Amino acid sequence: MRRLAVALALSLLAAAVLMAGGSAIAQPSPAASTLPWFADLTPSQLLRGTLAGVLLVVAAAMVLAHFDRRTAALFRWDCFLPAIKRLRGGQTASRSALGRLVRRVVPGRLQSDWTTKRRGPLRRGLRWLGLSWSSAPVRRLVQSVSLLTFLILFFYVLWPYDARPAPPGERSADWTFQAVDQASGDFTFQGRTALPWQPAAGQTVYVSEPASAAIPDPVVEAFSFVSATDDEVRLAPAEDYGADLFDTFMMSTGTWTLSERDPQRWPSHLADNVAGKQWIPAETFLVIDPLVSLSTAIASRSWVWSLTSAAVILLICVLVPRGFCGYLCPLGTTIDLFDWAVGRRIQRFRVAGDGWWVHIKYYLLAGTLLCAVFGVLVSGFVAAIPVITRGMLFVFDPLQTGIARGWHQVPPVNLGQWISIGLFLAVLSLGLLRPRFWCKYVCPSGAVFSLGNLFRVSERKVESSCIHCNKCVEICPFDAIKPDFTTRTNDCTLCQSCAGVCPTHAIKFVDRWNVVELKAPNQPPTGETALGRRGFLSLAAGTAAAVGGASVAVGVTKAWGANVDDPDAFRPVRPPGSVPEKEFLEMCIRCGECFKACPNHVLQPEGFQQGLEGLWTPLVNADWAGCESSCNACGQVCPTGAIRQLPLEEKKAARMGLAIVNESTCLPFAGRGECDLCVQECNAAGYRAIEFKQVGTEIGADGQPIAGTGMAAPVVLADKCVGCGLCQTRCVAINVKAEGLLDASAIVIEAGEGKEDRKMSGSYRRQPEPQTPASTSNDSYYVPPQADPAPAAPADLPAAPIEDDNPFGL
Amino acid sequence: MRRLYRDGLGALALVCCVCTSTAAAEDLIEFLNGSTATGTVKSIRKADREFDFEMNVGGRTFTRVFPFNKVHAVTYRGNRFELTPKVAADAAAEGSEGRSEAEVKALIAAAGATPPDWFESTPLDYPKTLDLSWPLKPPTPGWKSHKNMGQYIWSVINENPPRWRSGIKLIHHCVSLHQDDPVLLKRDMNALGSAYFRLMQDYARAAFWYQQGRPDMTTRDGIQLAECYWRLGNREMALKRLRRGPVNIGAIKLLGDMGELAWALRLTERYQNTNFDYQANILAADALRGAGRLDEALDYYQRVLDSKNFRNEDYKQRFLARARESMETIRLYEQADVSQVADGTYRGSSTGYNGKLTVAATVADGRLEAVKVVAHKEKQFYSALTDTPAQLLEKQSVRGIDGTTGATITAQAIVNATAQALAEGNQ
C-alpha cells in the first residue's frame, strides 16, 4: 500500500511538473521548413518532459513492484534472464510481475523447463550468441539498437545525395492585366494562349514581371486561382493584400508572367532532405555526451544548448546509474565488438584488474575541465562520442563516399586526420589490456556519469544467499564488483549480466535504500578504502598529473595557437553561421559531425595551420567544393552551437568570407583570354555577387573607347558575396585542373575582419542601407524645361476640387 | 395597343436614363494599360498633377493617389478628361507601321515626359569614387572606370544587365545635376537616348532624349535617332534626317534594314579606299544578304576579306571570321534546305558578338522542329536568342531572317550556325 501511495504522489508530481508554467505543451511556433521538427523545442519543455517522464517511470515501477512476490523493495529494475535452476513445486523462477508476464506471454515450447532444468530454444539461442546475451539480453538488445541508430544517423541521415531540386513548374508569359472585378475583388489577366496547366481552385498562382537579366528584383505577387477561360485567367489576391497591389497592376504597362511555383524561390532541397530525415537529431549521441556540452559551456563561458540534453541524460541515469555507458554509448558497443573479434584472441598484453590506471578517468576529466576553465577545449580529443564520431568519419566515410560516389570524391587526408585515426585505433587497442579498458578506466565522459552515480536512486544489491562463486566478478564488463561481491557503485552500469549468471539468484536491482536480506559487506575483505582502490596515493598523484597535464595542454595550445588577435595570423574560412573565431575555437568540440553532413565535402578538417588550437576544426576548402546554396546541414548537426543552427533564409545571408579576385592572374584581367566561369557559377547559385567590368579597353585618338577591344572581367560585389566558394571551385576545376592555365584559382575566398559575419546571436540579413539623398527625391527624373510638353499648373490653385470646366488643369 | 407599348418602352427608357445618371455619379478611370476602375474622385491637386481616388473592391474601400501621367483618362462627374495620351503603351508594340509625323511626335513627347514604370523602385546606385561632374573629356589619362562616368557606362553599366535600369537612372541623375551647363547637358541627354535605345529598346524615350540632345548625323547617336523614327512607324522622318548631308557609317546598316539598298550601296562606295572600307563593306554585304541578293553579298564579303585597313589584329580576326562564316552560310543555303535534311539533331557554331555561339537544330520529317542556342557568350542581345530561333521555325528556312533590333550580329550568328548544322545533316 505504501508503494501505491508513493506512486500516486509521484504521478501527481509529474503532472504538476508538466503543467508548470502552462506552456509545457504549448504549440510550437511554425518552424521554418528548412529546419527539423525539434528545432523549436525549448530547454524548459525538454527538461520538464524528462523530469515528468522519470517520475512516471518510477511510479509505474512502484505499481509493478506492488504485484511482485516476496519483496520489500520500492521498485526493481530486474531485466536479466535468471540462471536456470531446478524449481520446487510452487516456486517461481521470477519474483517480479514483469517476469511472470513474460513467461505467460512467450509460447511455452520456447521456454526452458524449470522442473527438469532443460534449456528451451530461447535460452539456447541466446547462449549461442554468448554468455552476456543469455544473462542480460535486454541490455545487449538495447546496445545493438543504439549502435544501429548511431550508424543510421551518421551514414543515412547525413547522406543527402538523394535530394533533388524541386521541378521548376509551369510558366506562361505575355499576360496583360485587364481589370479588377470590383464586385468580387478578383484580378483578371488576358493572355495569348490558355494557361499551360490547370490549377485547382484556390491553388497559388504567381504573377511576376517577365524574367530578364535586366530586372534584378522582379515583382512577384501570389494570387489564388479562381477560374480560367481560353485566354483569360481570374485570380484572387491574398487575404489581406495592401492597396499598393492596385498601383502595381493598374499603373504598369508591361506584361506579366504566370507561374505555378514562385519564380524567385530559393532552392532548399538539401536542407529539407537532412531536416526531413531527422526523426531524432542527427547529433543525438553527441548532445547526450555530457562532457561535450559541459566542457564547451565552461570553455566559452556561455550557454550551450546541448547542456539541456546532457541534463536529460544525467536525469535518466539517476534511474539507471551509468546506464549511458552500459546501454547507449556507441563507442562502448564498438569496443565490445572489437574485444569480441580481436581482444579475446590476443592475451599477451593483458594487465591486472587493479593498478594505478583504475582512476585515470577522473583525473582526465579533471584535467579536461581545468583546460576548459582556461578556455582550451580538449574534451573533443578524449570524450567518448567525438572519438567514435571522428573514427567513423575518418575511417568509414571515405569508404562510403568512394564506393557510392566514386573515389575522386574523397578529399585528400592530412596529418591531423591520421592522428585522429591513430587515436581511434589506440582507444580500441586499449581493449588488449583488458576488455573495455577505455570505458572502465580512461573515458572522461564515463567519469561524469560515475560522479553522477552519487545521486543514483537504484543500485545493484547482493543478498545473503550469495555463495561466493565469483561468476559475477568474471562476467562484469565494468570491473564494478568488489572482491566481497558487493558493488562498486560508481562503476556499475546496471547491465545486469551478473544477475543472469548468479546460480542462487542473489543479485537484485532495486532502490538504493533497500536493506532487506543483504549480504554482509567486506567478506571476504576487499582492502578498499573509502576513496576506493589505491586511495590517497592515487588521489595525490592523479591530481598532480591532471593539473600538470592541463597546464601543459593549455600552454602548448596557446603558445602555438590561433593568435586570434593577430591580424596576420592564419584565418580559415569557417562554415556559414560560425560564431566569432575566439568563441568558435572554444566551442567547436571537433567531433566531425559537420564534415559528414556537408555535401561534397566543402568542410574539411583543419590540420596544424592554427597549431593545436585549430586541429580538426572545420574549414571551407573551396578548392575542393563550394558551399551549396540550398544546404544548412552543418548548423543543423553542430552539437555545441559553434555553427549556429540557421534557417536557410538566414544561412544564405551569412557571410563566410569574401571572394577576392587576383587581378594579376585572372585571365581577363591579365589579358590572357575571355573567362566568365565565376560569374556563371555565382548567378546560377542565385547570389549574383559577381559582375563584369570591361578591362583592357583601348582608347582611340578621339578619346573614345574602341569597340571590341578589352575583355569583361569579374568584379565581386562585397555586399552580395557570402563567400560560398563556388566561384573558386569552378576556377580550380576548369582553369587549374582541366585547362592547366593557372597554378591556383584566380578568385579565392578569404576570411577576416570585415570579410565575414561572425555573430553569437542575431540576424545576418542586411538591412537595406539608406539611399543617397538624391535617389529619395524624384527630381532626378529631370526634363529640361523647353521640352516639357505639359507645363505644371500654377501653384496657387486651391487643392480641393472646384466646380469648373477644367478640374484637372489640362 | 401599339401606343401603350410605345409608352411602356418610353417609361422603360426613362428608368434606364435614371439608372445611368445614378451610375454616372461614379467616376471612371481608364489606365494607360487599358484597365479601368470605378469609384469617386475625392480631390484633385492640379499643382502636384495627381488626384485621390476612392474605390470599392471586393467589399473593401481603398483610397489611392494616382498621378496624371499614369492615367489615360478620367470620367469625372459625367465629363471625360484625357490626362495622358494612350501612346506610351503602344510604344512597346514596336514597328507598328504608318504613324503620321504628328502621331510619332506626340508619342515621343508623352513618353519622354514620364519616367518608365521601374524608375521609382530602382535604386540610384553607383560607386562613391565616381565623378558625377562628368567632364567632356576624362580629366586623367588611362582607363579609370570607377572614376570617369563615360568609362563607367562603357565598362560597368553596359556589361551588366542588372545595372541597366539603375544605370539609366544614374544618367538621369547627371542630367538633373548638369541642368545649368548646356554643353554637358547635351552630352548627357544623348547618352540617355543611347542608353534607352541600346539597353531598353525604348525608342520613344530614346527619341525624346535624342531630340533634346540634337545629335549630329555623323555620329552613331544621329543614326540611332533616325532609326527611332523608323521603328516608331514613320519612315519618312527617318529618311529626312538621313538626307541631311554627311552621315555616320552606321547609316548603311539602317538603310539596309529599311530596304533602301541602292542608297546603302551608294554610301558604301564612299568608304572604299578609306580606313573604314571593311566596316562599310560588311554592313553592305549583310544588307544584300538580307535582301536575297546573294551574289552581290558574296562580292562585298570578299571585299572584307581583301581589306588591308583593319584597325588591329583583333578587329581583323573578328571581321574575317564574320565574313567567312557568312559566305559559308550563303554557300550552304542550298544544302541547308530543311526538306532535304535527315531526321536528327545537328549542331553548328558561329561567331557572335562576344565569341563562339553554338546552336542545336532538330529536324523531323523534313521540318525544323527546334532551334536552341546551347552555348553562347552574348551578354546583351538576349532578345535574339529566342527571337531568331522563333523566326527560323516560322520560316522553316535560314534565308530571309531579319536581324533582331540591335542584335544583328547575334541574330546572324544564330542563322549561320543553324545553316551549318542543317548542312551537316544533309550530307
Side-chain angles (χ1 to χ4, degrees):
Chain A
M1 267 339 270
R2 180 180 59 116
R3 279 184 294 228
L4 286 185
V6 177
L8 183 67
L10 286 179
S11 312
L12 288 175
L13 192 59
V17 167
L18 268 183
M19 293 301 161
S23 62
I25 323 165
Q27 286 297 314
S29 64
S33 68
T34 50
L35 291 178
W37 63 269
F38 41 79
D40 273 350
L41 223 53
T42 66
S44 97
Q45 281 172 332
L46 204 60
L47 276 180
R48 274 202 298 253
T50 314
L51 190 59
V54 166
L55 289 172
L56 284 175
V57 167
V58 174
M62 285 185 175
V63 174
L64 276 176
H66 178 72
F67 297 102
D68 283 358
R69 289 189 188 155
R70 200 178 64 84
T71 179
L74 264 179
F75 53 83
R76 61 169 69 235
W77 296 132
D78 293 357
C79 59
F80 53 88
L81 216 56
I84 192 163
K85 63 176 185 179
R86 203 185 300 268
L87 291 184
R88 282 182 299 251
Q91 210 179 7
T92 47
S94 175
R95 299 176 197 171
S96 79
L98 267 183
R100 293 202 307 277
L101 183 71
V102 170
R103 277 179 64 84
R104 192 162 303 163
V105 171
V106 177
R109 57 195 167 77
L110 292 180
Q111 297 185 23
S112 308
D113 185 341
W114 287 72
T115 48
T116 62
K117 241 183 122 182
R118 235 185 94 81
R119 288 169 175 80
L122 211 55
R123 181 178 283 270
R124 270 185 285 133
L126 288 170
R127 185 63 189 81
W128 177 81
L129 283 173
L131 190 57
S132 57
W133 276 92
S134 70
S135 57
V138 175
R139 178 240 182 181
R140 281 300 197 202
L141 212 58
V142 174
Q143 268 192 310
S144 311
V145 169
S146 179
L147 180 63
L148 215 57
T149 309
F150 175 80
L151 295 176
I152 289 173
L153 287 176
F154 198 70
F155 289 109
Y156 166 72
V157 173
L158 300 186
W159 185 258
Y161 301 104
D162 55 331
R164 294 286 172 274
E170 293 278 2
R171 196 169 284 197
S172 175
D174 284 336
W175 290 78
T176 48
F177 169 70
Q178 247 186 337
V180 178
D181 180 340
Q182 287 181 258
S184 64
D186 293 343
F187 286 52
T188 52
F189 293 86
Q190 184 149 30
R192 293 185 184 170
T193 53
L195 262 193
W197 78 101
Q198 270 90 44
Q203 195 179 327
T204 307
V205 172
Y206 295 89
V207 181
S208 58
E209 283 183 275
S212 157
I215 307 176
D217 300 306
V219 172
V220 181
E221 297 288 349
F223 285 85
S224 61
F225 182 77
V226 178
S227 64
T229 60
D230 275 351
D231 58 352
E232 194 188 270
V233 168
R234 187 173 268 269
L235 302 172
E239 272 301 304
D240 6 273
Y241 58 96
D244 47 355
L245 196 65
F246 296 119
D247 302 1
T248 307
F249 286 98
M250 288 175 168
M251 295 204 259
S252 146
T253 51
T255 62
W256 300 92
T257 298
L258 270 52
S259 321
E260 196 178 5
R261 297 208 170 78
D262 184 355
Q264 287 297 99
R265 78 189 182 289
W266 192 266
S268 63
H269 51 286
L270 285 167
D272 292 337
N273 183 282
V274 174
K277 280 196 265 184
Q278 289 185 78
W279 32 272
I280 57 169
E283 71 279 23
T284 299
F285 287 94
L286 281 160
V287 298
I288 62 175
D289 182 338
L291 187 55
V292 167
S293 45
L294 196 62
S295 55
T296 309
I298 295 174
S300 65
R301 284 111 174 112
S302 64
W303 167 258
V304 173
W305 68 273
S306 43
L307 276 173
T308 317
S309 311
V312 164
I313 193 73
L314 284 169
L315 211 56
I316 293 173
C317 282
V318 165
L319 285 191
V320 186
R322 246 194 125 172
F324 177 87
C325 309
Y327 287 81
L328 298 181
C329 180
L331 179 62
T333 313
T334 308
I335 290 174
D336 267 346
L337 285 171
F338 177 86
D339 291 344
W340 167 76
V342 181
R344 66 187 172 132
R345 292 162 218 275
I346 301 172
Q347 293 296 326
R348 70 168 78 165
F349 304 108
R350 289 286 186 226
V351 295
D354 198 7
W356 58 267
W357 50 82
V358 298
H359 287 166
I360 291 178
K361 61 174 181 282
Y362 297 110
Y363 304 114
L364 205 52
L365 174 66
T368 305
L369 294 183
L370 206 59
C371 285
V373 168
F374 288 100
V376 173
L377 192 60
V378 295
S379 58
F381 294 63
V382 287
I385 309 297
V387 166
I388 177 84
T389 307
R390 267 198 325 269
M392 290 293 163
L393 177 79
F394 293 144
V395 178
F396 295 105
D397 176 64
L399 295 177
Q400 186 189 20
T401 304
I403 292 166
R405 306 191 61 228
W407 295 98
H408 62 286
Q409 297 275 13
V410 181
V413 176
N414 65 25
L415 176 66
Q417 277 158 283
W418 286 118
I419 292 179
S420 175
I421 293 172
L423 189 74
F424 178 61
L425 294 180
V427 167
L428 290 182
S429 317
L430 284 179
L432 297 177
L433 303 177
R434 285 182 75 76
R436 291 195 87 161
F437 188 94
W438 165 266
C439 308
K440 286 188 272 203
Y441 309 131
V442 187
C443 179
S445 301
V448 177
F449 285 108
S450 288
L451 295 175
N453 276 14
L454 296 173
F455 305 97
R456 68 195 177 274
V457 298
S458 31
E459 203 176 278
R460 169 184 177 274
K461 303 261 184 192
V462 186
E463 292 186 345
S464 51
S465 53
C466 172
I467 54 170
H468 300 196
C469 70
N470 211 38
K471 278 189 174 173
C472 53
V473 175
E474 280 163 18
I475 199 168
C476 179
F478 273 83
D479 197 10
I481 302 176
K482 295 180 191 171
D484 69 348
F485 311 109
T486 61
T487 316
R488 290 193 181 111
T489 46
N490 283 347
D491 293 332
C492 175
T493 69
L494 240 64
C495 76
Q496 312 203 356
S497 308
C498 50
V501 294
C502 179
T504 61
H505 298 189
I507 299 168
K508 57 186 179 182
F509 302 92
V510 293
D511 57 281
R512 181 176 181 175
W513 302 276
N514 179 300
V515 286
V516 180
E517 295 178 20
L518 292 193
K519 165 184 190 306
N522 215 20
Q523 242 177 18
T526 62
E528 291 188 19
T529 68
L531 275 166
R533 296 168 276 182
R534 323 298 301 181
F536 260 121
L537 191 64
S538 96
L539 179 69
T543 309
V547 172
S551 34
V552 168
V554 170
V556 168
T557 311
K558 286 296 180 196
W560 291 279
N563 295 325
V564 177
D565 298 328
D566 179 0
D568 297 328
F570 175 75
R571 287 297 296 272
V573 178
R574 297 295 187 192
S578 294
V579 296
E581 185 68 11
K582 176 175 170 290
E583 283 79 8
F584 185 83
L585 292 168
E586 289 165 357
M587 289 176 81
C588 173
I589 197 81
R590 293 109 163 110
C591 61
E593 195 80 354
C594 53
F595 305 126
K596 185 73 182 87
C598 183
N600 306 330
H601 298 101
V602 184
L603 297 183
Q604 292 179 11
E606 193 179 324
F608 289 96
Q609 295 96 319
Q610 287 181 307
L612 213 54
E613 207 168 358
L615 185 63
W616 303 333
T617 55
L619 55 73
V620 172
N621 183 352
D623 274 350
W624 183 264
C627 179
E628 292 280 355
S629 58
S630 69
C631 180
N632 63 357
C634 50
Q636 282 191 36
V637 303
C638 180
T640 60
I643 310 171
R644 295 171 60 196
Q645 170 161 296
L646 300 177
L648 210 50
E649 280 300 302
E650 287 290 337
K651 182 261 172 180
K652 74 177 190 191
R655 294 186 306 152
M656 313 145 70
L658 180 65
I660 307 287
V661 178
N662 183 338
E663 297 193 1
S664 59
T665 60
C666 175
L667 298 177
F669 274 112
R672 291 179 60 193
E674 299 269 3
C675 176
D676 62 352
L677 295 169
C678 53
V679 183
Q680 282 179 8
E681 198 69 17
C682 193
N683 287 347
Y687 297 109
R688 304 185 179 282
I690 312 180
E691 66 172 19
F692 289 112
K693 179 175 113 174
Q694 190 70 217
V695 295
T697 309
E698 290 169 27
I699 310 174
D702 54 353
Q704 293 300 308
I706 300 169
T709 60
M711 275 176 268
V715 174
V716 178
L717 303 173
D719 57 337
K720 289 193 176 155
C721 175
V722 298
C724 69
L726 289 166
C727 49
Q728 181 178 345
T729 309
R730 190 117 170 94
C731 192
V732 168
I734 306 292
N735 290 336
V736 178
K737 288 189 182 154
E739 307 276 340
L741 294 169
L742 297 173
D743 295 329
S745 174
I747 185 164
V748 174
I749 309 305
E750 288 178 10
E753 192 64 38
K755 293 178 185 156
E756 51 180 341
D757 293 328
R758 304 287 289 269
K759 297 181 177 182
M760 292 299 287
S761 61
S763 171
Y764 295 88
R765 277 179 273 191
R766 286 179 282 281
Q767 301 303 319
E769 281 180 25
Q771 296 292 323
T772 40
S775 70
T776 51
S777 63
N778 270 318
D779 67 354
S780 52
Y781 192 82
Y782 167 78
V783 178
Q786 75 273 17
D788 196 341
D796 54 345
L797 275 179
I802 48 163
E803 294 295 329
D804 62 7
D805 293 342
N806 189 9
F808 292 93
L810 296 168
Chain B
M1 191 61 202
R2 178 170 289 178
R3 172 180 289 178
L4 198 65
Y5 180 63
R6 204 174 282 163
D7 285 352
L9 266 185
L12 202 68
L14 195 70
V15 171
C16 286
C17 278
V18 172
C19 285
T20 39
S21 65
T22 40
E26 288 259 285
D27 301 322
L28 174 83
I29 307 187
E30 299 160 50
F31 291 97
L32 287 171
N33 60 14
S35 63
T36 58
T38 56
T40 318
V41 175
K42 281 291 171 188
S43 66
I44 303 169
R45 288 181 295 281
K46 290 183 195 176
D48 299 331
R49 299 184 63 74
E50 62 186 23
F51 63 94
D52 293 343
F53 191 72
E54 188 182 88
M55 53 189 176
N56 195 300
V57 178
R60 288 168 65 189
T61 304
F62 297 94
T63 305
R64 301 308 300 155
V65 179
F66 291 120
F68 288 4
N69 62 31
K70 295 286 182 185
V71 174
H72 170 49
V74 181
T75 306
Y76 176 54
R77 302 188 175 177
N79 297 317
R80 188 168 181 277
F81 299 93
E82 199 173 300
L83 303 184
T84 308
K86 206 172 164 182
V87 283
D90 293 349
E94 112 200 15
S96 38
E97 293 293 325
R99 281 204 182 97
S100 73
E101 186 166 340
E103 280 172 339
V104 168
K105 279 185 170 161
L107 198 148
I108 291 170
T114 56
D117 286 344
W118 43 262
F119 194 79
E120 248 174 83
S121 59
T122 302
L124 181 64
D125 167 27
Y126 56 89
K128 288 193 178 69
T129 50
L130 202 61
D131 175 15
L132 291 185
S133 69
W134 195 2
L136 283 184
K137 289 248 164 166
T140 44
W143 193 260
K144 293 199 172 54
S145 59
H146 278 70
K147 184 168 192 306
N148 300 332
M149 180 69 190
Q151 295 169 358
Y152 181 71
I153 294 177
W154 175 273
S155 271
V156 179
I157 296 178
N158 287 354
E159 287 293 317
N160 296 293
R163 283 204 186 267
W164 289 350
R165 287 179 168 187
S166 65
I168 288 178
K169 185 152 181 165
L170 177 59
I171 306 176
H172 272 293
H173 184 54
C174 289
V175 169
S176 69
L177 288 180
H178 303 158
Q179 47 186 284
D180 298 327
D181 184 334
V183 180
L184 292 183
L185 195 59
K186 177 175 155 67
R187 189 270 328 272
D188 291 356
M189 292 191 295
N190 279 328
L192 205 47
S194 171
Y196 275 118
F197 183 94
R198 286 180 297 113
L199 305 179
M200 296 285 150
Q201 282 96 51
D202 184 343
Y203 301 112
R205 284 199 179 81
F208 177 84
W209 291 103
Y210 272 144
Q211 282 178 345
Q212 312 300 314
R214 299 177 199 286
D216 200 89
M217 285 309 284
T218 56
T219 63
R220 273 175 71 109
D221 291 338
I223 303 298
Q224 283 176 347
L225 175 55
E227 183 166 351
C228 286
Y229 289 143
W230 176 56
R231 298 275 177 196
L232 288 171
N234 193 306
R235 184 187 179 82
E236 197 43 48
M237 284 171 81
L239 292 177
K240 205 161 86 190
R241 285 197 72 84
L242 287 166
R243 283 192 204 103
R244 283 192 195 168
V247 291
N248 183 274
I249 196 167
I252 298 173
K253 177 179 173 314
L254 175 58
L255 287 166
D257 287 348
M258 291 173 69
E260 298 282 343
L261 267 178
W263 189 350
L265 293 181
R266 268 203 316 278
L267 213 51
T268 311
E269 286 315 309
R270 287 199 210 150
Y271 284 97
Q272 305 303 332
N273 304 321
T274 69
N275 282 340
F276 299 101
D277 61 345
Y278 60 100
Q279 293 191 26
N281 285 330
I282 207 157
L283 292 173
D286 287 347
L288 286 164
R289 177 183 158 193
R293 289 158 66 173
L294 300 182
D295 289 341
E296 290 164 84
L298 285 175
D299 182 38
Y300 274 88
Y301 282 128
Q302 188 59 49
R303 292 193 198 181
V304 177
L305 297 184
D306 295 341
S307 173
K308 304 267 181 299
N309 299 317
F310 291 108
R311 179 170 214 153
N312 58 33
E313 190 59 25
D314 197 44
Y315 263 57
K316 185 175 174 182
Q317 291 312 320
R318 285 203 299 146
F319 275 88
L320 291 185
R322 275 183 59 199
R324 266 195 228 103
E325 280 160 8
S326 296
M327 293 170 84
E328 181 69 16
T329 306
I330 292 173
R331 292 201 189 93
L332 289 174
Y333 271 169
E334 294 297 310
Q335 282 187 53
D337 181 356
V338 182
S339 58
Q340 307 291 315
V341 178
D343 290 3
T345 298
Y346 307 98
R347 281 178 182 236
S349 304
S350 182
T351 309
Y353 190 82
N354 282 330
K356 195 171 146 181
L357 175 149
T358 306
V359 160
T362 308
V363 177
D365 294 332
R367 275 188 62 81
L368 198 53
E369 292 287 319
V371 175
K372 215 175 154 191
V373 181
V374 289
H376 70 89
K377 289 184 170 172
E378 313 301 74
K379 291 194 190 75
Q380 298 184 19
F381 319 115
Y382 292 107
S383 47
L385 298 180
T386 50
D387 198 48
T388 309
Q391 277 194 54
L392 285 163
L393 292 188
E394 195 184 314
K395 295 218 165 147
Q396 288 293 318
S397 165
V398 290
R399 304 172 77 150
I401 306 289
D402 303 335
T404 302
T405 322
T408 324
I409 297 177
T410 309
Q412 213 181 64
I414 295 173
V415 173
N416 290 351
T418 310
Q420 228 184 66
L422 293 178
E424 186 198 321
N426 193 16
Q427 279 164 8

